Amino acid sequence: MDLDFTSEQDILRDSAAKFLANECPYDKVKEIEETEEGYVPELWRKVAELGWTGLLFPEEYGGYDGTFMDLIILEEEMGKAVFLSPFFSTIVQCGLIILEAGTGDQKKDLLVQISEGSLIMALAQYEEDVSFLPGSLNMTAGEDGGQYVLNGVKLFVMDANISDKLIVVAKAGDKGLSFFIVDANDPGLTISKIPTIGKDNSCEVIFKDVKVPRENLLGTPGNAEKVLEIVNAKAAVAKSAEMVGGCKVSIDMTAEYAKQREQYGKPIGGYQAIQHYMANMLLAYDTVSNYLYKVACMIDEGEDYLTDASSLKACANEKFTYISERAVQIHGGIGTTREADIALFYRRAKTYDTSCGDTNYHFERVAEKLLTEGL
């Protein structure tokens, strides 16, 4: 396993860092958080022009045949910048589902539009009173002649409020969980943002007699549970990359503050308690950062990564929470205010904890594998 970055990946990281620093400083992030859209369309167009929206997809679908490690590098830089955009929902979640489950025509239609930045999509998966397991989902798609009819509620649908289309997970009769492509402007849909500590585009989507023609079934009926297992694991790794980026900036920002903030005549970084906190934060970061790159390499090299993806996400949840909490503690009272940049990462740690499965869910996945198959 080669864990060295290529020269192209180094260039990708540097260019992404410079672009995000110039186009989306933390003051602008705070402004975007307060808007109903939760992103900037002009900035999204610039992202598409850079080729980020097509990075992960084959050239035949307008993409650049990038590796999963390329995606991880981008996601990590986005995590450092707290970049607010539909990148994760559109490219990572929906894009990978289409790539795994779609027909040839569907891939040519949808992935080309995603690659050029003209199509924003959201995954409507989770429901009230169900676990993160795809098999626990209850929404059904009733058949009515040559079409399906969707009724029910989906929660925590990221970026549904700005999406052009949704990928909806529902049971298609006795065929099992399936994917349905639904226009976000369908009159049977009611989309509303859910207030969260992360001030993100997490939405509730209510379906009332939403009619979906058979050609809008993504791939074959009953394919969703298997595909979701693959895609949710990859998405968990991608989200972990954002969290690793947040860990890095939280440490750098806190170290700089500890050198400047004085108490009792000297910088607080000179006190042993603060030094121990900072050392433990760095150890936590090194642990999850190295693990992230290992799992990304496993995906690129075709190894079995499902258990490691769960282990990584559980680790990222814990480390990001620990690092951001200690960072706020070292900053003191100012760290809890809206004005302090460190608060951006503290709030993201709380929000990202449940994205693609919370810590308990992933621990259960790892424990199940150990008890049934061993190491």
Side-chain angles (χ1 to χ4, degrees), residues 101-165:
T103 64
D105 288 341
Q106 288 171 334
K107 291 177 185 177
K108 288 178 182 177
D109 177 28
L110 298 172
L111 291 183
V112 167
Q113 293 183 66
I114 289 175
S115 295
E116 66 186 18
S118 62
L119 178 65
I120 295 175
M121 300 188 73
L123 173 62
Q125 177 180 357
Y126 301 122
E127 300 168 12
E128 189 177 10
D129 298 327
V130 299
S131 74
F132 291 101
L133 289 169
S136 68
L137 299 175
N138 297 317
M139 178 182 276
T140 59
E143 294 192 56
D144 182 15
Q147 60 188 359
Y148 293 94
V149 181
L150 297 173
N151 283 285
V153 180
K154 292 288 187 178
L155 296 176
F156 313 115
V157 184
M158 192 58 61
D159 297 317
N161 61 313
I162 58 173
S163 291
D164 303 300
K165 295 180 184 294

Side-chain angles (χ1 to χ4, degrees), residues 271-283 322 330:
Y271 293 101
Q272 190 177 66
I274 301 298
Q275 293 171 356
H276 285 183
Y277 274 162
M278 294 299 304
N280 287 332
M281 290 162 68
L282 183 59
L283 287 172
Y322 173 80
I330 292 171

Side-chain angles (χ1 to χ4, degrees), residues 5-6 61 65 72 79 96 98 138 144 149 179 182 203 211 220 228 258 273 302 326 334 360:
F5 296 113
T6 65
Y61 305 130
D65 266 324
I72 291 306
L96 287 177
I98 295 166
N138 297 317
D144 182 15
V149 181
F179 295 116
V182 177
C203 298
K211 297 177 175 57
T220 58
L228 281 174
R326 290 297 174 270
I334 194 173
N360 286 338

Side-chain angles (χ1 to χ4, degrees), residues 280-331:
N280 287 332
M281 290 162 68
L282 183 59
L283 287 172
Y285 166 73
D286 283 343
T287 299
V288 69
S289 177
N290 290 328
Y291 197 11
L292 168 68
Y293 298 139
K294 175 188 174 182
V295 179
C297 281
M298 292 174 69
I299 293 174
D300 278 332
E301 294 180 7
E303 298 180 23
D304 182 3
Y305 61 88
L306 294 180
T307 302
D308 282 277
S310 281
S311 182
L312 170 65
K313 182 55 166 59
C315 181
N317 286 347
E318 291 190 332
K319 304 308 183 188
F320 194 19
T321 297
Y322 173 80
I323 289 171
S324 62
E325 285 180 351
R326 290 297 174 270
V328 168
Q329 186 176 0
I330 292 171
H331 274 77

Side-chain angles (χ1 to χ4, degrees), residues 19-20 22-49 52-53 78 81-87 90 117-118 120 159 161-163 193 199-201:
F19 172 82
L20 293 170
N22 291 331
E23 297 287 345
C24 200
Y26 296 133
D27 286 345
K28 187 170 184 177
V29 171
K30 294 171 190 175
E31 292 176 5
I32 298 171
E33 284 184 327
E34 301 298 334
T35 65
E36 182 63 27
E37 295 79 10
Y39 89 120
V40 180
E42 181 184 355
L43 192 52
W44 182 245
R45 287 192 290 272
K46 291 182 180 180
V47 165
E49 290 171 2
W52 293 4
T53 51
M78 290 180 184
V82 195
F83 182 55
L84 302 177
S85 78
F87 187 90
T90 300
S118 62
I120 295 175
D159 297 317
N161 61 313
I162 58 173
S163 291
K193 288 180 70 171
K199 291 183 173 292
D200 53 18
N201 278 345

